[in-house]
Amino acid sequence: MPGQGREVVVGLDNGGTAINATVLDRAGRFLVDRLVETPSRVGEGPAVAIEALNDAFTGVLGLTGVPRAAVQAVGLDTPGPASADGVISTRGAVNFADPAWRGFDVRGALEARLGLPVLYNNDANAASLYAHHVHFGPEAARRSSVALIVGTGLGGGVIESGRVVRGAAGMAGEFGHIQIPMDGLLAPGQPVPACNCGLSADGESVASLTGIEKNLLPYWLTRFPEHDLHAVGSAHEAAYLVRGHAAGGDAMALEIFRQQAIALGRLFTIAANVTDPDAYFLGGGVVEAAPGFRDWFLATVREHTDLRDEQRPRATFALVPDLDMAGARGAAIASGDSLGWAPPDISRP
């Protein structure tokens, strides 16, 4: 069998609807070269979801031909908010709506179920770590980066010397809840955006699908009274359609994404003055958009990132690769690192 005779770690990316799984061997090779996805069942509560993770673990080992005895540890990531040790926030989380999730130790529960060490990261940190290793390869341990990942919310990650910066409570890199200046971002008369976290004018209130639905789209539809999106049944559905309109050159949709790009640039500017990273990574649905729109968006983010003269020639802007697999792969890399394994050789030309 192809996986026999190897020490491995398993990476599990546990999302709101699906679990993505991968296997990394000690030589730094991923034994899975495609998306391996199974239902997460998190809406059915913790007990069912832990069994779903166990099934995903067993399934990916079967796919790769790796015996269970070869597994040295498991890397797990989930959406936040959660502590550094994998305890879901007592206030709950969007992807873990069942009240039983509040304060639930998802890392500890999976460790007990599998009988293996489990290392936890939030999903944005895991994806950020993977992007860092792909981009820097053998130089990863000597480089730093920050990443912003735009989805339903706005995730982020800080990597220093090839490792995730977690912080005392696991909340480092939460760029989505940093407040940013709105001058020059909002149009005349546009209301200051509000975030579900209770803050106003933070990154997530603008640069997220929720920000489009609740803040940006309602305003811009008043400026474009004849727009097709007026006829869509719900604001949530309309928000999903904005990116496609922007990729097609729609004027209103481009204004919405221009505001998102400005917000992301301002967050990267804050990062430049706090961590001074070698690279700035952008992930999320925009990565999967039409190349012309994607390149325009990244260029606009870079235009609004205010770097010092000394920083500008050293800074790189890039996209998070393999986004569907990035979380599981980053979780696996972190798990291998916790065992003292050498960094994986996954750099690209």
Side-chain angles (χ1 to χ4, degrees), residues 2 17 67 97 112 227 302 327 329 341 347:
T17 59
H227 199 279
R302 182 166 191 166
R329 288 187 166 192
W341 291 7
S347 59

Side-chain angles (χ1 to χ4, degrees), residues 88-108:
I88 304 298
S89 171
T90 55
R91 296 183 178 182
V94 172
N95 290 282
F96 301 95
D98 188 305
W101 281 110
R102 296 179 183 178
F104 183 79
D105 182 1
V106 63
R107 186 209 65 80

Side-chain angles (χ1 to χ4, degrees), residues 284-309:
V286 69
V287 172
E288 301 164 352
F293 168 71
R294 180 188 63 206
D295 294 345
W296 166 81
F297 188 77
L298 183 61
T300 306
V301 171
R302 182 166 191 166
E303 176 189 348
H304 290 277
T305 302
D306 187 11
L307 301 179
R308 301 175 189 273
D309 290 342

Side-chain angles (χ1 to χ4, degrees), residues 25 37 48 73 97 153 157-158 203 215 238-239 252 275 278 286 317 322 334 340 344:
D25 72 12
E37 194 172 70
V48 174
V158 178
N215 298 314
M252 184 193 76
T275 69
D278 293 289
V286 69
F317 287 74
D322 304 318

Side-chain angles (χ1 to χ4, degrees), residues 53-234:
L53 284 165
N54 178 68
D55 292 344
F57 170 84
T58 301
V60 78
L61 291 181
L63 179 68
T64 54
V66 174
R68 185 186 181 93
V71 181
Q72 306 301 297
V74 174
L76 170 69
D77 76 72
T78 75
S83 75
D85 295 325
V87 178
I88 304 298
S89 171
T90 55
R91 296 183 178 182
V94 172
N95 290 282
F96 301 95
D98 188 305
W101 281 110
R102 296 179 183 178
F104 183 79
D105 182 1
V106 63
R107 186 209 65 80
L110 183 62
E111 185 169 273
R113 178 66 181 87
L114 298 179
L116 289 163
V118 175
L119 183 80
Y120 177 81
N121 278 286
N122 73 43
D123 55 354
N125 281 344
S128 301
L129 183 63
Y130 177 64
H132 183 92
H133 278 273
V134 170
H135 187 80
F136 290 114
E139 290 289 308
R142 292 180 287 276
R143 301 292 183 179
S144 62
S145 65
V146 295
L148 297 174
I149 300 176
V150 186
T152 303
L154 177 60
V158 178
I159 309 299
E160 184 63 44
S161 300
R163 292 185 173 181
V164 172
V165 176
R166 297 168 180 267
M171 302 299 175
E174 289 288 349
F175 288 99
H177 305 297
I178 294 175
Q179 292 173 298
I180 56 176
M182 290 289 120
D183 292 346
L185 188 158
L186 298 179
Q190 186 174 1
V192 174
C195 182
N196 285 343
C197 74
L199 293 174
S200 60
D202 66 4
E204 185 170 297
S205 69
V206 177
S208 66
L209 182 64
T210 303
I212 292 177
E213 177 185 346
K214 295 190 173 182
N215 298 314
L216 306 187
L217 185 58
Y219 168 77
W220 283 104
L221 283 173
T222 68
R223 300 291 300 272
F224 289 80
E226 305 300 321
H227 199 279
D228 292 347
L229 289 181
H230 281 284
V232 176
S234 71

